[in-house]
Every structure is written in structure tokens, then in C-alpha cells.
Amino acid sequence: MSFRGFQKSVVRAPQQFKAKFNIGEHTKDPVFIDAERRFQELEVETKRLHDESTKYFNAINGMLDHQIEFSKAMTEIYKPISGRMSDPDSLVVEGNPEGIRACEEYEAIVKDLQDALKPELDMIDSRVVRPANELLDVLKVIRKTATKREHKKLDFDRHNATLKKLQDKKEKSAKDEKALWKAESDVEQSTQEFNYFNDLLKDELPKLFGLERQFIKPLFQSFYYMQLNIFYTLHEKMQHCDIGYFDLTLDVEEAFMRKRADIQEHTEQLTIVRFKTSGQKKPPKYGNKPAAIEAGPRPAGLLTSGPSTSTPTTPSLASVKYSQQSQLDIAENPPPPYSATASALKSPMSPPLGSPSSPALAAIAAGKPKPPPPKPKPMRLSGAPAVESVTALYDYSAQAEGDLSFRAGDVIEIVSKTQNENEWWIGKCHGKQGQFPGTYLPSPEKR
């Protein structure tokens, strides 16, 4: 926007504000208002026609391009995996030559189809997309003229308001007379400019609407026939597509199951995918677990217990020597008779009970005072909350279903209450639960 245009925008801003909120007098032409509404619809629909035809053109081209890329991806999958460090049989060439050949044939068919459809797609671009784009350019020029007409209307209303204000002034000074003469000149000029653009659009827009119908009819007809040609070409090319890799006489699902064969079963036998497909139990992370870990923890037997009934295992040389030494120690120093004191002193780090230090430890333990009893468990850690019981001050008889009846002196167990004593509380009495007024109980200060 130029500096002059910016100045005009600032001058027109008050009048534009008044027009937006319908303040003051404004010029209205019903014929032009109706024509402008139809013109706005024409703008919207022409833009939509251009966008949708462009999307259709890109969709057909994109479909063929994606088919070719799909064929290339399948060819890479079918290629043999050989000569790589991750392949244990790197010198053995394995692959699917029939599948690779089928992908190459399919790619050649799609490229031929792309070449066959190119003239029709070019016609869509030249007969639909390009004319719609040219019509959009024409509408942009007309929209500029309509915008200029709106600016002239603002100037016309603004100068008319100034002239009327000066004319209504009773006592006019020389300065007012000069301003009045300038306002009349501005009104005359703005009237001519506004009438020119207003009459031009009222005369030309109906002609444009008539030409629009003549423009749309051949455009739609061309698009319809070109679309039929595209579909017919697609059908003919794909109908005569004969690739030996596919058996088109079978049902789609049956052909898929036959091609798949037992691939799924072989895949599920692989360890790296078994747990995601079959949900079996996860094995140890690295190799087999030791026998001691697999057997699990065994309960420790008493020295006086009999022989173990568990499955015998082959002991190691160190364990045999240790066992013989332990038996000799037990035979030389038999254990003392069982007592609570000795049992309390027994621990894995204690010396054998038959050693000379055992009586001294027992005497020391007997001389120590017993530990004090544990403190009672705090209320906040107990499982159930404390129950609040209150003695009723007055008799109360149930007035409705769900109320609790009681007599003065009955002990009521509070189930639910509020901070306000004037509201209804819930309690239990004589094995029944119900509502009762809180004022029938003593206040918290008197409990």
C-alpha cells in the first residue's frame, strides 16, 4: 500500500466504523447488494472447482506413482539376502526369482498405463484446471473494482454527512461558508465517482453471470468425458494384465492362503518372535539356569531331624569333607537339651552350642531385663476409624421413611454428620440406621 492509500484509509476509518455498526445514514442499493451476493458465490465455487480438479489430476498421477514405488519395494524384498555378514549362509544365493519377475512385469504395465493416461491428464490440466485458473484471475480484477466502489461509497457518505452538518448550522461564519462550499464540491465529485463504479458493476455483473453458465457447461462436459476415458483405459489395461505369478481363477482369500502355506508356523517357531505371537512363557535370558537355582530354596532342617526325603543329589568333594567334619564335631560335643533361652540365642553367627562359651552367653542373656511391651498402634495407622457415640438429649419419632427413632438417654453411633448442628445427621441406634436432626444431641462443648 502506498503512502497516499494509507492516508485515504485513515480518513475513511471513522466512516467505515459507522457503516460496520450501522451508525448514521448509509447509501444502500438493493440491486447491487443482490448482484454482489451472487458474485461472492461465484468466487467461492470457482475456487472450489479449481482446487478439486487439481486434486483429481494429482490423485491419478499419484496413484500410478505409488503403484510403481510399491513394485520396486516388493522387488527389493524378493531379492536374495547373500554376501552379508548377518547371513550365516552368505555364499548361498537364495531368493524369489518368480516374484522378482512378476514385480518387474507389473512395474512395466503401470508405466505403460501411465504413458497411456498422460494425454488425458494433460487435457484435464488444459481444459479444466487452466480455464478455472483464468476465470479466477478475471474474478480478482472484478473484486478490485467492487472494493473500489465500496471506498467511493464511504467517501460519498462521509462528504454527505459533513455537508448536512454544515447546512444544519444556524449561524455560519465566513469560515463555515468556505467549508460549506468545499463540502458541496466534495459531495459533487464523490457522487460522480460512486455512481460511475456503482452503475458499471450493476450493468456488467449480470452479463458475467450469463457468461458463467456458458463457461461451466462445456467445462463440466469435458471433465466428464475425460474422466470416462481415464476409467476406461484403466479398466482395459488392468483387464488384460496377465502375470503368471498370480492365479486369477482362484478366490482372493484362497489364493492368499495357498501362497502363504506354512510360513506363519515357521515364523512363530523363531525365538525372537515367539513371545509376541504365541504368548508363551519367557525363557531365561542367557542359557540354562544352574541346578541349585532351578531347585529353589529348601527348608533348613533341625539337627535332630531325620534323613531328608528329597531326591538325592551327587555332592561335591568339598561338601562331603565338610559333612564328615561336622558329624565328628557333633559326636564329640553333643548339643544340650532344648530350652527357650538357648533357642533364642541360636543364630547363624553364634558358636556351636557345645563350646565352652555357650553357658556364659546363656547366663548373660538370662541376666538381661526383658524388653518393654510395644506401644499401642496410633489411631491414624489402624484399619478402622474411631466410632463416635453420643447420648441423645430428647426423644425423637421418625417423621418419614429413612428417619431414626430414639428416646432420651439412648446412645447413638454417628455415621455421618456435618459442621452445622441444625442439619440432618446419619446415625445408628438399636441396630437401625437413619437420619435425625443434629439438635437432638448435645453440642461438642458439652460432650
Side-chain angles (χ1 to χ4, degrees):
M1 180 186 293
S2 63
F3 182 72
R4 185 178 179 183
F6 176 75
Q7 286 181 323
K8 290 183 178 180
S9 300
V10 173
V11 173
R12 292 169 182 154
Q15 185 62 30
Q16 193 171 9
F17 179 81
K18 293 179 181 179
K20 184 176 181 180
F21 294 97
N22 199 19
I23 302 174
E25 297 181 0
H26 306 285
T27 304
K28 294 182 180 180
D29 191 339
V31 177
F32 175 79
I33 293 175
D34 182 67
E36 187 188 23
R37 179 183 56 80
R38 293 182 59 189
F39 179 71
Q40 289 178 350
E41 294 175 357
L42 177 61
E43 281 183 310
V44 174
E45 297 305 325
T46 305
K47 182 68 168 58
R48 190 193 218 168
L49 173 65
H50 175 269
D51 294 344
E52 297 301 328
S53 56
T54 304
K55 289 179 182 178
Y56 180 79
F57 174 81
N58 294 333
I60 299 296
N61 278 326
M63 178 186 68
L64 300 176
D65 292 337
H66 292 323
Q67 286 177 288
I68 293 175
E69 294 299 325
F70 173 82
S71 176
K72 292 180 179 179
M74 293 300 298
T75 304
E76 290 296 325
I77 294 175
Y78 283 148
K79 283 183 179 180
I81 305 176
S82 60
R84 302 177 184 177
M85 296 301 295
S86 61
D87 191 356
D89 300 327
S90 59
L91 300 179
V92 180
V93 179
E94 296 181 358
N96 188 354
E98 294 84 3
I100 296 175
R101 194 179 307 110
C103 290
E104 292 174 350
E105 293 179 12
Y106 178 76
E107 183 177 350
I109 292 173
V110 175
K111 287 183 177 179
D112 182 51
L113 180 60
Q114 198 173 30
D115 295 336
L117 290 178
K118 190 175 186 305
E120 297 295 336
L121 294 174
D122 291 341
M123 289 179 63
I124 290 180
D125 182 59
S126 60
R127 296 189 180 182
V128 179
V129 179
R130 198 175 303 166
N133 197 18
E134 292 174 356
L135 180 58
L136 280 177
D137 294 338
V138 173
L139 296 180
K140 288 179 182 178
V141 176
I142 299 175
R143 172 53 62 188
K144 288 183 179 179
T145 305
T147 303
K148 187 172 290 187
R149 182 256 179 199
E150 184 65 23
H151 292 166
K152 299 303 179 184
K153 185 179 80 71
L154 290 175
D155 293 338
F156 176 72
D157 293 339
R158 177 168 59 87
H159 293 312
N160 267 335
T162 303
L163 178 62
K164 186 177 180 181
K165 183 178 179 181
L166 291 173
Q167 288 176 347
D168 293 342
K169 199 171 184 179
K170 296 181 179 180
E171 298 180 358
K172 300 182 182 65
S173 61
K175 187 177 180 181
D176 294 335
E177 293 292 341
K178 184 178 180 180
L180 180 61
W181 176 83
K182 186 178 182 302
E184 290 175 351
S185 177
D186 292 339
V187 168
E188 183 179 358
Q189 182 180 356
S190 60
T191 302
Q192 293 177 358
E193 293 176 351
F194 170 69
N195 289 336
Y196 170 77
F197 287 103
N198 189 57
D199 295 341
L200 176 65
L201 290 173
K202 286 197 301 183
D203 293 340
E204 299 294 337
L205 283 179
K207 297 177 183 179
L208 176 67
F209 300 147
L211 295 174
E212 171 207 356
R213 290 189 291 269
Q214 299 178 14
F215 172 81
I216 291 296
K217 186 176 180 180
L219 198 68
F220 178 70
Q221 187 175 0
S222 299
F223 181 76
Y224 176 75
Y225 282 113
M226 285 182 287
Q227 192 176 25
L228 287 180
N229 290 336
I230 290 173
F231 290 154
Y232 177 77
T233 306
L234 284 170
H235 179 267
E236 286 295 318
K237 290 289 184 181
M238 300 308 295
Q239 187 72 17
H240 295 88
C241 176
D242 187 11
I243 300 177
Y245 188 71
F246 307 107
D247 188 0
L248 301 180
T249 60
L250 298 176
D251 182 66
V252 176
E253 185 176 358
E254 182 181 356
F256 170 76
M257 297 299 293
R258 179 176 297 184
K259 283 286 184 184
R260 190 180 69 172
D262 57 348
I263 295 299
Q264 182 177 359
E265 289 75 9
H266 288 308
T267 304
E268 290 181 350
Q269 290 176 2
L270 298 176
T271 306
I272 57 177
V273 299
R274 181 184 305 170
F275 316 110
K276 293 186 178 180
T277 57
S278 60
Q280 297 180 4
K281 186 178 180 181
K282 190 173 181 181
K285 189 173 183 181
Y286 301 110
N288 297 325
K289 292 184 177 180
I293 300 178
E294 290 181 352
R298 291 181 295 178
L302 296 173
L303 294 177
T304 58
S305 62
S308 174
T309 59
S310 60
T311 304
T313 58
T314 304
S316 62
L317 181 60
S319 62
V320 171
K321 295 176 68 177
Y322 178 77
S323 177
Q324 293 176 355
Q325 183 67 27
S326 299
Q327 292 177 0
L328 291 175
D329 294 342
I330 294 173
E332 294 176 358
N333 302 314
Y338 174 80
S339 65
T341 307
S343 177
L345 291 173
K346 184 175 64 176
S347 65
M349 300 302 294
S350 301
L353 294 177
S355 61
S357 60
S358 295
L361 293 176
I364 294 173
K368 288 185 177 180
K370 294 184 179 181
K375 295 182 180 181
K377 193 173 183 180
M379 295 300 296
R380 59 183 180 86
L381 298 178
S382 60
V387 179
E388 182 181 0
S389 299
V390 184
T391 303
L393 295 177
Y394 315 102
D395 296 344
Y396 177 73
S397 300
Q399 304 296 327
E401 184 179 357
D403 290 357
L404 180 66
S405 300
F406 52 82
R407 302 182 64 82
D410 289 347
V411 178
I412 301 174
E413 180 182 337
I414 305 298
V415 177
S416 175
K417 67 176 183 178
T418 62
Q419 299 296 331
N420 189 357
E421 297 180 0
N422 296 323
E423 296 181 353
W424 290 80
W425 295 1
I426 300 176
K428 288 183 180 180
C429 185
H430 303 301
K432 295 183 180 180
Q433 179 173 324
Q435 298 180 351
F436 62 92
T439 53
Y440 280 59
L441 301 180
S443 59
E445 295 79 6
K446 298 180 180 179
R447 293 178 192 174

